[in-house]
């Protein structure tokens, strides 16, 4: 029997100085030290990663970045490489967040190169996909999201695919206070799993698929009851350590999500 271990990842976006991050880590670790049923990831700004490496060492909380370059090194002013992230003990990296796609023009092709690079060095990509409100209203949300998944994962082996996390984040729900209903989240996460199945067969049942978009301490439990929602990517509600710890505790994961694999 295989189990998809639930994942709750915080995305701090462009918030927190080094001292704020250190202060957060101390408070947060105290609150979540007894959590055993899910993986917790903090995706911090680049400048806070090294100090957090020291704070989170030997804790149950994993460290993630919010972006990285597809190149190894070289004349890429302003970029951060996968190896640099590894050097500060990052094990996860958010790739293709809608804010990067929309504001910084990231394309599916670039995201595909970044996913490949992350996997090559052993980082786990948290691949973000999601439709905007127009596409949802036009009934094209599934087509868009399945296309984003396929293009971002093009050319990956089954072994590589088995090391990814996907986050479904409808753009209209990010930072707006509007959460997709748990049924809508389930429907899209199931569509994403169907796409993964077409790429990698039954092993798709082992891939964590997260929901993101105004997830809070008071709506996480309902989302987690859906069979294909394996956790959450949390922006605003991850910024306060006590609030985020409460959300994690409320996630109350079911012990086994997949049977008979
Ligand atoms: C995010 O940034 O990935 C996100 C889901 O933000 P929020 O939780 O604030 O909607």
């Amino acid at each position: 029997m295989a189990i998809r271990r639930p994942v709750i990842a915080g995305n701090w976006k462009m918030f927190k100085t080094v001292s704020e991050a250190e202060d957060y880590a101390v408070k947060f670790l105290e609150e979540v030290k007894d959590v055993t049923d899910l993986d917790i990831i903090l995706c911090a700004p680049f400048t806070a990663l090294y100090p957090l490496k020291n704070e989170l060492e030997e804790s149950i909380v994993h460290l993630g970045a919010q972006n990285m370059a597809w190149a190894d090194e070289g004349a890429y002013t302003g970029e951060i490489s996968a190896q640099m992230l590894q050097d500060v003990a990052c094990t996860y990296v958010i790739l293709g967040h809608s804010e990067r796609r929309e504001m910084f023009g990231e394309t599916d092709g670039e995201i595909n190169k970044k996913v490949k690079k992350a996997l090559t060095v052993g980082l786990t990509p948290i691949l973000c996909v999601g439709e905007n409100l127009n596409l949802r209203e036009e009934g094209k949300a599934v087509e868009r999201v399945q296309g984003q998944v396929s293009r971002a994962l093009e050319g990956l082996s089954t072994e590589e695919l088995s090391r990814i996390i996907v986050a479904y984040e409808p753009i209209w729900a990010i930072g707006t206070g509007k959460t997709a209903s748990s049924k809508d989240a389930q429907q899209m996460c199931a569509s994403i799993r169907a796409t993964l199945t077409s790429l990698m067969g039954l092993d798709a049942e082992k891939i964590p698929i997260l929901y993101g978009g105004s997830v809070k301490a008071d709506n996480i439990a309902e989302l987690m009851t859906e069979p294909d929602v394996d956790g959450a990517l949390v922006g605003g509600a991850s910024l306060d350590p006590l609030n985020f710890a409460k959300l994690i505790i409320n996630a109350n994961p079911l012990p086994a999500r997949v049977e008979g694999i």
Side-chain angles (χ1 to χ4, degrees):
M1 185 170 79
I3 296 174
R4 285 199 300 274
R5 192 172 154 81
V7 176
I8 304 282
N11 173 16
W12 287 357
K13 312 195 187 203
M14 198 172 71
F15 291 101
K16 297 198 188 297
T17 61
V18 168
S19 62
E20 287 166 346
E22 286 171 334
D23 184 50
Y24 181 112
V26 172
K27 292 180 180 146
F28 184 63
L29 285 178
E30 179 56 30
E31 297 296 315
V32 298
K33 63 179 188 299
D34 297 325
V35 172
T36 53
D37 295 337
L38 46 73
D39 286 333
I40 302 170
I41 308 163
L42 287 180
C43 298
F46 293 132
T47 48
L49 293 175
Y50 185 68
L52 281 175
K53 164 186 187 292
N54 298 327
E55 294 292 335
L56 301 180
E57 219 151 42
E58 290 175 33
S59 82
I60 59 160
V61 178
H62 305 278
L63 193 53
Q66 301 170 18
N67 182 31
M68 54 162 244
W70 43 258
D72 283 324
E73 62 179 358
Y76 299 97
T77 302
E79 292 292 301
I80 298 279
S81 72
Q83 291 84 349
M84 289 169 182
L85 297 183
Q86 272 199 314
D87 194 34
V88 291
C90 264
T91 44
Y92 294 84
V93 59
I94 295 173
L95 294 176
H97 192 283
S98 60
E99 287 156 12
R100 295 218 55 85
R101 291 176 190 259
E102 295 220 308
M103 287 187 268
F104 302 99
E106 266 189 28
T107 63
D108 286 325
E110 286 164 335
I111 294 161
N112 177 247
K113 290 205 295 193
K114 292 182 181 193
V115 169
K116 285 178 177 159
K117 183 57 65 185
L119 290 166
T120 303
V121 306
L123 289 170
T124 300
I126 303 174
L127 168 67
C128 296
V129 291
E131 81 286 359
N132 63 26
L133 192 56
N134 280 351
L135 286 165
R136 175 146 287 255
E137 286 173 350
E138 287 167 14
K140 293 181 179 158
V142 171
E143 184 189 333
R144 165 56 60 97
V145 168
Q146 289 191 322
Q148 285 178 326
V149 172
S150 304
R151 290 188 291 273
L153 302 180
E154 204 176 303
L156 267 65
S157 68
T158 304
E159 188 282 322
E160 287 172 320
L161 289 166
S162 72
R163 293 188 280 126
I164 62 158
I165 294 176
V166 181
Y168 167 54
E169 300 208 304
I171 295 170
W172 47 270
I174 296 181
T176 59
K178 287 185 199 156
T179 320
S181 72
S182 56
K183 293 289 163 232
D184 285 341
Q186 163 57 25
Q187 209 172 32
M188 190 62 86
C189 289
S191 302
I192 292 170
R193 201 174 304 285
T195 305
L196 294 174
T197 304
S198 71
L199 297 173
M200 62 191 297
L202 261 189
D203 282 345
E205 295 295 329
K206 298 176 188 163
I207 305 296
I209 302 179
L210 316 183
Y211 168 77
S214 299
V215 177
K216 299 193 170 52
D218 60 11
N219 60 20
I220 183 69
E222 190 187 339
L223 285 160
M224 292 295 289
T225 61
E226 298 296 343
D228 285 291
V229 179
D230 302 314
L233 180 55
V234 183
S238 72
L239 289 173
D240 175 78
L242 305 187
N243 193 19
F244 191 39
K246 188 163 179 241
L247 184 156
I248 287 166
I249 288 155
N250 288 357
N252 192 24
L254 302 171
R257 312 222 102 211
V258 184
E259 290 182 22
I261 299 290

